[in-house]
Amino acid sequence: MRHADNDAWARALRKVELHQHVDGSIPAEVTWELMRDTISVPWRVFPMMRRRLEIQEDEEGDLLAYLDKMHYPLWITQFYENIVRATEAIVDAAAACGVGTLELRYSPVIHTFAGLTLRQSITRSSPA
């Protein structure tokens, strides 16, 4: 099989994503949008923010660099509406890549630092 045929074949496969963390999976554009709407954006242009959200070539294999990328997603997921929006974006992105099974993981306690209750961080209905 030629390389292009292999690529097409791989793209067509139904995929499974297991043990995917919510905070590390929010699309950068969604994090940017939610920060603009909810908190504030520390950089005026998206490309600067993207560098803080996605592993750069010189950071590959560096666990601390990876963990540092969680800083901003953890800010935005302190708000119920943002958790919902971020999760929907993750599911939509996975579906667009052919993922048929997606196991998302998160720690509800981490989402309570700004006042959400534990119940609100795990409930799909609007918070009281």
Side-chain angles (χ1 to χ4, degrees), residues 16-65:
V16 174
E17 288 279 350
L18 299 178
H19 199 96
Q20 185 170 331
H21 290 256
V22 168
D23 301 314
S25 302
I26 303 169
E29 295 83 358
V30 173
T31 299
W32 171 258
E33 173 188 310
L34 292 174
M35 285 186 74
R36 276 192 337 234
D37 295 346
T38 310
I39 308 165
S40 66
V41 181
W43 290 273
R44 293 185 190 272
V45 293
F46 177 64
M48 293 297 294
M49 186 72 202
R50 182 185 289 278
R51 289 189 52 76
R52 274 60 181 193
L53 296 170
E54 296 176 352
I55 292 292
Q56 304 302 305
E57 191 172 312
D58 63 327
E59 298 172 321
E60 290 178 9
D62 184 342
L63 178 60
L64 293 179

Side-chain angles (χ1 to χ4, degrees), residues 13-20 94 97-103:
L13 289 174
R14 294 282 285 166
K15 294 159 189 76
V16 174
E17 288 279 350
L18 299 178
H19 199 96
Q20 185 170 331
C97 291
V99 174
T101 301
L102 176 64
E103 177 197 24

Side-chain angles (χ1 to χ4, degrees), residues 2-12:
R2 294 176 314 157
H3 181 68
D5 293 337
N6 285 338
D7 288 349
W9 177 78
R11 277 193 297 277

Side-chain angles (χ1 to χ4, degrees), residues 38-39 74-80 109-117 120:
T38 310
I39 308 165
L74 285 172
W75 277 8
I76 64 165
T77 56
Q78 297 303 306
F79 305 93
Y80 176 81
V109 173
I110 288 175
H111 303 286
T112 63
F113 297 147
L116 279 180
T117 66
Q120 289 168 328

Side-chain angles (χ1 to χ4, degrees), residues 79-89 91-92 104 106 108 116-128:
F79 305 93
Y80 176 81
E81 295 80 10
N82 291 358
I83 295 172
V84 172
R85 172 72 176 93
T87 304
E88 289 171 349
V91 170
D92 290 346
L104 283 178
Y106 77 111
L116 279 180
T117 66
L118 201 52
R119 181 182 209 85
Q120 289 168 328
S121 75
I122 60 173
T123 303
R124 177 58 174 114
S125 60
S126 296

